[in-house]
Amino acid sequence: MADELVLLDFWPSMFGMRVRIALAEKGIEYEYKEEDLRNKSPLLLEMNPIHKKIPVLIHNGKPVCESLIIVQYIDEVWRDRSPLLPTDPYQRAHARFWADYVDKKVYEVSRKIWTTKGEEKEAGKKEFFEIFKTLEGELGDKPYFGGETFGFVDLSLIPFYSWFHAIETFGEFNIEAECPKIVAWAKRCLQIETVAKTLPDQKKVYEFVGQMRKRFGLE
Amino acid sequence: MAEEVLVFGAWGSPFSRRVEMALKLKGIEYKYIEEDLTNKSPSLLKYNPVHKKIPVLVHNGMPVAESLVILEYIDETWKDHPILPKDPYERANARFWAKFIDEKCLSAIFKACWGEEYEHEKAEIEHEKAVKEVSELLQLLENELKEKRYFGGETVGLLDIAANTIGYWLGVFEEASGVELLTREKFPKLCNWANEFVCVTAIKENLPPRDKLIAYLRNRFGAGNASK
């Protein structure tokens, strides 16, 4: 029986991008369904009644929610190719720890920068650099967080790169100047076909964020 | 080489107790180090420089932090008495609910019991809202449990261990604050599960003493919302 896969997603979502990269890395075919987050479909509400959020991967009618949980699911089901997590338990724990760090820190601080003004925004910028300096420390001299190859932590973080132009412009600062290693790492990731094909154009994201800011009364 | 397992924890923390429960279930010997969270040891800061928190598991000198990450590491390293199911879908489900408990439940429970200070008129309304939120979250867990003996099925699994906050700490919070949340009439399955859960040897041996915990909570957070 052929596998039936549906991904409920929203094109600028960093979380959705993680799942799209994972599916592309494994060469899996699926049906992509774009959600209007201001008018969520009955399918989304049925498949993720707890959080009502994207992404949701529906595999043969059964939903999996939460992006990193979905990525691990994909890795476990299609374990015969392109592993996304290392095999060694300690390295896996290390990868999960850092992906969890990205989850806990990067989204919130990014959001703070493009949704606030004045002192709050300045505090956000300071925090942004602290977080990314910590990530640079973890990256060290490795080409990827996963070592020689693109892995779980790289996948969890790279989608945020598509938001950098928006964050920099609205935040009025230069990310590359402060975190050159991270930007070099991101450009390296973008050499990977699956990543390059998945990440939306930074200008498109910038326009999208601009519209959101207008709606929040920031423009 | 003999195996060395260290656990840095705090006696009252459900998070470090989770790690001890899992190790106990698998029959793994370890050395426990109690941390004074107001005066963290150089070892803790060395092993968890990013978050500076407990629990940390140190296995042959290699640290692992974040309780749910540690639980998965324990399961992958010591294969006896598995705590995660084999099926990928069921594994994803267990992970989903463990994350749900950590991200949503504890803070909501805390808010209902000790909450924020509000002016008198607002206090009643805000308290009711907080209690209602906890009720909705507990209902979701009640529904997820269904007719199973444990969240893990016939035996205690990762989700049961992650739900230790619900299985034991919630009852302690209730008693310390006087706020009723996990009632038998509304949540019969969850109450039955909690009773079974605390009777499992590996769990029972790793629960902080009730009176000590109540005294600590009342001392730290006050008498609780029920008295306001």
Side-chain angles (χ1 to χ4, degrees):
Chain A
M1 190 189 87
D3 272 318
E4 195 199 71
L5 276 158
V6 179
L7 177 64
L8 305 181
D9 202 348
F10 179 54
W11 72 266
S13 162
M14 310 92 162
F15 306 101
M17 285 176 220
R18 291 168 170 175
V19 180
R20 283 177 248 157
I21 294 172
L23 289 165
E25 282 283 301
K26 300 272 184 184
I28 300 164
E29 285 191 17
Y30 63 98
E31 186 194 340
Y32 179 92
K33 278 203 164 117
E34 183 75 17
E35 283 284 332
D36 175 0
L37 297 185
R38 285 176 297 160
N39 186 19
K40 293 174 180 177
S41 73
L43 181 62
L44 174 57
L45 300 178
E46 181 199 332
M47 291 288 143
N48 190 359
I50 314 290
H51 301 300
K52 305 174 176 54
K53 286 181 173 180
I54 55 91
V56 181
L57 183 74
I58 311 170
H59 186 196
N60 295 331
K62 287 160 76 171
V64 187
C65 307
E66 296 295 302
S67 63
L68 294 182
I69 293 176
I70 300 172
V71 170
Q72 289 183 82
Y73 174 78
I74 290 168
D75 204 37
E76 289 173 11
V77 174
W78 289 275
R79 59 178 182 275
D80 56 335
R81 64 191 101 151
S82 304
L84 302 168
L85 274 132
T87 40
D88 171 69
Y90 187 77
Q91 286 176 24
R92 288 164 74 84
H94 195 81
R96 284 183 176 127
F97 173 87
W98 282 103
D100 175 70
Y101 179 85
V102 172
D103 251 11
K104 283 190 166 93
K105 304 275 188 183
V106 180
Y107 179 74
E108 282 307 319
V109 78
S110 303
R111 195 165 196 281
K112 202 170 171 184
I113 294 172
W114 65 265
T115 57
T116 63
K117 303 195 271 216
E119 259 181 57
E120 235 191 308
K121 182 165 116 175
E122 291 307 307
K125 280 155 71 173
K126 188 164 173 272
E127 213 188 315
F128 184 92
F129 286 133
E130 278 167 17
I131 290 164
F132 274 91
K133 282 263 170 266
T134 302
L135 287 165
E136 279 193 331
E138 169 53 24
L139 180 62
D141 293 319
K142 306 194 297 282
Y144 303 100
F145 284 92
E148 291 303 308
T149 49
F150 183 85
F152 192 61
V153 182
D154 304 275
L155 183 151
S156 71
L157 183 61
I158 192 61
F160 290 92
Y161 183 66
S162 65
W163 280 64
F164 272 17
H165 176 59
I167 295 167
E168 275 184 321
T169 313
F170 294 121
E172 294 169 296
F173 66 122
N174 185 295
I175 297 176
E176 188 162 12
E178 283 287 334
C179 307
K181 265 187 171 176
I182 284 290
V183 175
W185 159 81
K187 289 181 177 165
R188 199 175 299 128
C189 290
L190 248 61
Q191 301 290 321
I192 299 169
E193 199 187 337
T194 52
V195 177
K197 281 201 169 143
T198 300
L199 259 55
D201 180 63
Q202 290 203 40
K203 277 211 193 82
K204 235 185 129 190
V205 174
Y206 167 74
E207 278 159 21
F208 164 75
V209 179
Q211 283 165 22
M212 293 276 277
R213 279 167 59 90
K214 278 201 190 100
R215 233 179 281 141
F216 290 169
L218 286 153
E219 298 282 351
Chain B
M1 189 189 90
E3 208 158 44
E4 191 201 55
V5 181
L6 308 176
V7 175
F8 287 80
W11 67 270
S13 160
F15 304 104
S16 63
R17 291 290 183 169
R18 284 173 181 174
V19 176
E20 295 190 85
M21 287 169 184
L23 291 169
K24 205 62 188 230
L25 266 169
K26 290 184 180 263
I28 307 301
E29 284 190 21
Y30 63 95
K31 181 175 167 210
Y32 176 78
I33 296 132
E34 174 73 17
E35 279 288 326
D36 173 359
L37 298 181
T38 60
N39 185 19
K40 293 173 182 177
S41 72
S43 291
L44 177 62
L45 301 178
K46 173 179 104 182
Y47 286 129
N48 191 0
V50 175
H51 297 304
K52 304 176 174 54
K53 286 181 172 181
I54 55 92
V56 181
L57 177 88
V58 184
H59 185 201
N60 295 333
M62 309 280 273
V64 185
E66 292 299 301
S67 65
L68 296 182
V69 175
I70 299 171
L71 291 183
E72 295 230 26
Y73 174 77
I74 289 171
D75 205 38
E76 289 175 5
T77 304
W78 293 285
K79 308 280 191 184
D80 261 353
H81 198 121
I83 55 175
L84 268 168
K86 282 203 162 66
D87 174 66
Y89 190 78
E90 287 176 46
R91 291 162 74 88
N93 197 45
R95 288 173 178 142
F96 174 88
W97 286 105
K99 191 172 189 227
F100 170 81
I101 287 169
D102 272 5
E103 284 182 359
K104 301 268 183 189
C105 294
L106 202 55
S107 56
I109 290 166
F110 194 82
K111 198 172 170 190
C113 291
W114 281 283
E116 291 143 40
E117 290 289 329
Y118 293 108
E119 284 136 36
H120 186 75
E121 310 89 59
K122 251 189 114 183
E124 190 66 47
I125 302 169
E126 289 299 323
H127 175 66
E128 269 176 39
K129 256 169 72 179
V131 170
K132 185 164 177 277
E133 199 196 329
V134 173
S135 199
E136 285 167 5
L137 297 172
L138 292 177
Q139 189 59 55
L140 293 170
L141 289 170
E142 173 92 358
N143 296 346
E144 174 54 25
L145 187 57
K146 300 185 196 72
E147 302 307 318
K148 298 194 297 262
R149 187 175 180 198
Y150 302 108
F151 284 102
E154 280 306 300
T155 52
V156 162
L158 180 139
L159 182 51
D160 298 274
I161 297 171
N164 66 351
T165 46
I166 309 293
Y168 181 73
W169 272 259
L170 173 53
V172 179
F173 282 17
E174 286 177 294
E175 195 176 327
S177 67
V179 178
E180 249 197 320
L181 295 166
L182 182 63
T183 59
R184 178 155 280 284
E185 59 180 334
K186 277 176 98 177
F187 310 108
K189 294 189 182 121
L190 216 46
C191 285
N192 283 341
W193 166 80
N195 288 339
E196 294 248 20
F197 175 71
V198 298
C199 289
V200 175
T201 312
I203 308 298
K204 190 163 68 180
E205 290 177 2
N206 284 298
L207 298 173
R210 205 178 169 89
D211 289 339
K212 192 178 173 192
L213 194 52
I214 289 171
Y216 168 80
L217 290 166
R218 282 190 180 145
N219 190 42
R220 177 124 187 248
F221 302 115
N225 273 351
S227 60
K228 287 194 184 126

